[in-house]
């Protein structure tokens, strides 16, 4: 399948094999609690592709067995993604630094994206040959392709996509584990309180102690670590557009970023940057604007992506020529972006999305984040916690916290306009909304200036090595 891949720098992919022993020393099981066969990982050809099909196998009418090829590719992807799903947690909690580099997971994700392209083309071939039809169904956390065998064609049970089953199953196991940990913590608190009372503590002290131990602020959750602090000033806002939502399967095709100071004036000598696609967008306090476009593999272009074309206006069918370099094969672009991400806090809306794509695409990002050199701020929890307009409703049970809604409530986007779903434009309305929101919160002594606020820049940063 190398003919349908990009033009990768083979060197780093081959060097990634040398990291396997380091990972094998600390990572025994995959996301489905199965032992990892690292010898199998060693057999994977990360340069030429991990799938079983050739470029000719994806053509309608090829003599090969498309059903068998698809079945085998799906088995490889399920196995590979079960390993990749654990790598982030293992790397970030490797406090003894037995694994110095995140290169192997990036290489495996690089191969998995191209394997996913191959799977899509094999499905396309089956449709073209009249063997099955494909419909897409949303199943809890993910949307999956569902095959329906054509009349008289072989059954397709063994080539159905198992992504929903796997992802939802893992999420349920994590939920049960959190509940068990919570129950254990509550039992420990109760035991400590009983001990304090038995030792002569006043009975009236117990409720306060218990409340301090187990209560949490209304509306708080894991996203609160991304909230800004009262000392925040210069930030870089960033937004990426991708071919889908899964960093293990999808490509970064558009990156837009710009800078803005939340308190101090815009630097007088700051570069003006490039214009926005919509002339109604005014830079205002923003500076240093940049837009970067990237390509996809030929296989991804052949399959096409109508949903992304309708959403962003970007047609991936036009993004496989030599003028469009793939982001995951462009070290200079990755290093340039990483340098900017390290210089000041970066802001994104639903920042975990950008974070996960950067982990699996940007050389050095995971290492820099783990070392505490990257600070991430998210405007989505700002909307959830500090914007009354996002209160849950019948139409939005968890609140309306989309970037478009947040920007409109903060006056950064006219009511008759829509989010553009382009990196630079979305980064711009996000920073405008954030600055207006913080200004209002400061005047009202709320948000970072309220009882739950923190000093400094705030945001999420890794704590680095623990001793």
């Amino acid at each position: 399948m190398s003919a349908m891949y990009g033009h990768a720098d083979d060197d780093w992919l081959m060097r990634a094999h040398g990291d396997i022993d380091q990972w094998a020393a600390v990572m025994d099981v995959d996301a489905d609690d199965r032992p990892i066969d690292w010898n199998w990982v060693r057999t994977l050809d990360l340069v030429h592709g991990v799938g079983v099909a050739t470029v000719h196998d994806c053509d309608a009418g090829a003599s090969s067995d498309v059903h068998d090829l698809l079945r085998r590719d799906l088995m490889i992807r399920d196995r590979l993604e079960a390993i990749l799903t654990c790598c982030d947690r293992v790397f970030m909690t490797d406090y003894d630094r037995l694994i110095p580099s995140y290169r192997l997971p990036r290489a495996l994700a690089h191969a998995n994206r191209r394997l996913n392209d191959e799977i899509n083309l094999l499905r396309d071939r089956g449709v073209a040959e009249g063997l099955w039809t494909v419909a897409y169904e949303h199943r809890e956390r993910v949307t999956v392709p569902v095959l329906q065998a054509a009349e008289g064609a072989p059954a397709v049970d063994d080539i159905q996509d198992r992504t929903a089953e796997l992802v939802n199953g893992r999420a349920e196991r994590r939920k049960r584990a959190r509940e068990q940990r919570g129950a254990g913590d509550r039992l420990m608190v109760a035991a400590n309180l009983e001990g304090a009372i038995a030792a002569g503590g006043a009975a009236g002290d117990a409720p306060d102690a218990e409340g301090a131990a187990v209560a949490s602020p209304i509306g708080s959750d894991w996203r609160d670590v991304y909230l800004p602090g009262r000392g925040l000033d210069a930030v870089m806002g960033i937004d990426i557009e991708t071919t889908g939502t899964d960093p293990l399967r999808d490509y970064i095709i558009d990156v837009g970023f710009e800078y803005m100071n939340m308190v101090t004036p815009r630097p007088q000598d700051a570069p003006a940057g490039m214009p926005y696609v919509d002339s109604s967008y005014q830079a205002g306090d923003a500076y240093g604007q940049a837009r970067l476009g990237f390509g996809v593999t030929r296989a991804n272009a052949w399959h096409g992506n109508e949903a992304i074309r309708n959403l962003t206006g970007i047609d991936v069918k036009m993004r496989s020529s030599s003028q469009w370099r793939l982001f995951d094969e462009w070290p200079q672009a990755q290093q340039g972006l990483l340098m900017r991400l390290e210089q000041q806090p970066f802001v994104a809306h639903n920042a975990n999305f950008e974070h996960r794509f950067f982990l699996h695409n940007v050389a050095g990002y995971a290492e820099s984040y783990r070392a505490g050199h990257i600070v991430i701020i998210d405007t989505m929890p700002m909307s959830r916690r500090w914007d009354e307009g996002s209160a849950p409703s019948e139409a939005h049970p968890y609140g309306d916290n989309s970037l478009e809604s947040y920007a409109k409530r903060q006056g950064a986007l006219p009511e008759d306009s829509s989010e553009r779903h382009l990196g630079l434009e979305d980064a711009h309305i996000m920073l405008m909304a954030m600055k207006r929101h913080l200004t209002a919160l400061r005047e009202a002594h709320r948000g970072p200036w309220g009882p739950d606020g923190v000093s400094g820049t705030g945001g999420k940063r890794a704590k680095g090595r623990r001793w």
Side-chain angles (χ1 to χ4, degrees):
M1 291 296 288
S2 57
M4 290 195 291
Y5 287 10
H7 301 284
D9 170 14
D10 297 350
D11 230 25
W12 79 275
L13 293 170
M14 292 187 289
R15 290 197 305 272
H17 268 283
D19 302 340
I20 291 176
D21 287 343
Q22 299 163 356
W23 284 86
V26 298
M27 189 169 163
D28 299 325
V29 297
D30 64 17
D32 301 314
D33 296 324
R34 298 174 305 191
I36 297 174
D37 183 353
W38 289 104
N39 287 326
W40 172 75
V41 178
R42 288 185 179 89
T43 69
L44 298 175
D45 185 347
L46 302 181
V47 175
H48 300 103
V50 299
V52 298
T54 68
V55 62
H56 303 295
D57 289 324
C58 295
D59 292 335
S63 59
S64 53
D65 185 343
V66 65
H67 188 119
D68 182 61
L69 293 171
L70 180 56
R71 178 185 61 81
R72 291 162 64 191
D73 269 1
L74 287 168
M75 290 174 63
I76 294 171
R77 192 183 68 180
D78 289 348
R79 196 172 178 182
L80 193 53
E81 291 183 353
I83 296 172
L84 276 165
T85 300
C86 294
C87 289
D88 177 16
R89 174 186 56 79
V90 170
F91 186 74
M92 295 305 167
T93 56
D94 174 28
Y95 304 124
D96 293 325
R97 299 300 188 259
L98 298 175
I99 310 171
S101 169
Y102 205 69
R103 178 172 52 194
L104 179 62
R106 282 196 302 109
L108 295 177
H110 178 279
N112 194 70
R113 281 188 281 272
R114 287 143 183 83
L115 173 63
N116 193 64
D117 293 342
E118 183 174 308
I119 288 170
N120 284 331
L121 291 185
L122 290 172
R123 285 200 189 101
D124 292 346
R125 175 186 157 187
V127 172
E129 293 178 356
L131 297 175
W132 54 67
T133 58
V134 180
Y136 289 84
E137 295 183 6
H138 187 72
R139 297 181 176 177
E140 295 186 60
R141 296 166 181 83
V142 295
T143 299
V144 295
V146 179
L147 274 57
Q148 179 70 43
E151 186 175 353
V156 293
D157 292 347
D158 61 336
I159 53 173
Q160 293 289 4
D161 193 302
R162 298 179 61 235
T163 302
E165 172 190 339
L166 295 170
V167 169
N168 294 325
R170 292 165 191 161
E172 286 302 313
R173 288 194 295 275
R174 289 194 300 269
K175 180 181 177 182
R176 288 196 297 271
R178 286 194 301 269
E179 291 171 347
Q180 290 171 356
R181 287 195 299 270
D185 291 344
R186 288 190 292 273
L187 287 172
M188 185 176 296
V189 169
N192 289 340
L193 289 171
E194 289 171 3
I197 294 173
D205 294 340
D208 290 341
E210 183 178 9
V214 301
S216 60
I218 294 175
S220 65
D221 69 3
W222 63 270
R223 298 175 186 86
D224 288 351
V225 296
Y226 290 99
L227 290 169
R230 62 181 69 98
L232 184 70
D233 189 18
V235 298
M236 183 181 84
I238 190 165
D239 182 84
I240 64 175
E241 301 301 327
T242 62
T243 58
T245 60
D246 190 339
L248 305 183
R249 299 183 184 180
D250 297 308
Y251 299 89
I252 294 175
I253 52 176
D254 183 72
V255 176
F257 59 83
E258 66 179 27
Y259 299 83
M260 188 177 289
N261 295 354
M262 296 293 111
V263 178
T264 58
R266 178 186 186 277
Q268 292 185 351
D269 59 349
M274 60 179 54
Y276 307 103
V277 296
D278 190 330
S279 59
S280 67
Y281 281 47
Q282 299 300 315
D285 294 331
Y287 57 95
Q289 297 89 343
R291 185 196 313 277
L292 307 172
F294 302 100
V296 298
T297 62
R298 275 175 274 178
N300 192 278
W302 289 345
H303 176 65
N305 197 323
E306 195 69 12
I308 293 302
R309 189 181 72 83
N310 291 336
L311 181 69
T312 68
I314 299 173
D315 187 354
V316 299
K317 291 183 177 180
M318 309 300 293
R319 290 282 180 114
S320 66
S321 65
S322 58
Q323 75 180 92
W324 295 103
R325 294 191 64 176
L326 279 83
F327 182 69
D328 66 0
E329 297 182 355
W330 195 348
Q332 293 82 5
Q334 296 168 31
Q335 291 309 301
L337 180 59
L338 177 61
M339 179 185 68
R340 288 170 172 81
L341 294 173
E342 292 175 326
Q343 288 176 344
Q344 69 292 295
F346 83 80
V347 182
H349 195 80
N350 189 20
N352 195 45
F353 181 83
E354 276 77 10
H355 175 65
R356 290 171 62 237
F357 269 90
F358 293 159
L359 280 174
H360 295 98
N361 282 272
V362 179
Y365 176 87
E367 296 85 346
S368 183
Y369 176 78
R370 185 175 70 172
H373 300 320
I374 291 175
V375 179
I376 310 172
I377 291 171
D378 193 340
T379 51
M380 182 176 284
M382 288 182 61
S383 173
R384 294 182 68 255
R385 289 292 306 280
W386 298 333
D387 185 345
E388 293 82 357
S390 71
S393 64
E394 185 175 347
H396 301 280
Y398 301 101
D400 189 356
N401 298 297
S402 68
L403 175 58
E404 179 176 314
S405 298
Y406 176 62
K408 286 181 177 180
R409 290 195 300 268
Q410 300 303 324
L413 187 67
E415 285 296 328
D416 60 351
S417 297
S418 300
E419 180 182 349
R420 293 305 303 263
H421 294 289
L422 288 172
L424 178 57
E425 284 67 29
D426 291 354
H428 181 60
I429 63 171
M430 174 187 66
L431 287 187
M432 287 182 60
M434 179 183 181
K435 184 163 186 174
R436 294 183 182 193
H437 195 189
L438 285 176
T439 299
L441 291 169
R442 186 185 303 111
E443 294 172 353
H445 303 289
R446 295 179 53 237
W449 297 272
D452 298 329
V454 297
S455 60
T457 61
K460 183 178 181 183
R461 116 178 22 232
K463 295 180 179 178
R465 185 181 300 225
R466 301 177 186 175
W467 299 101

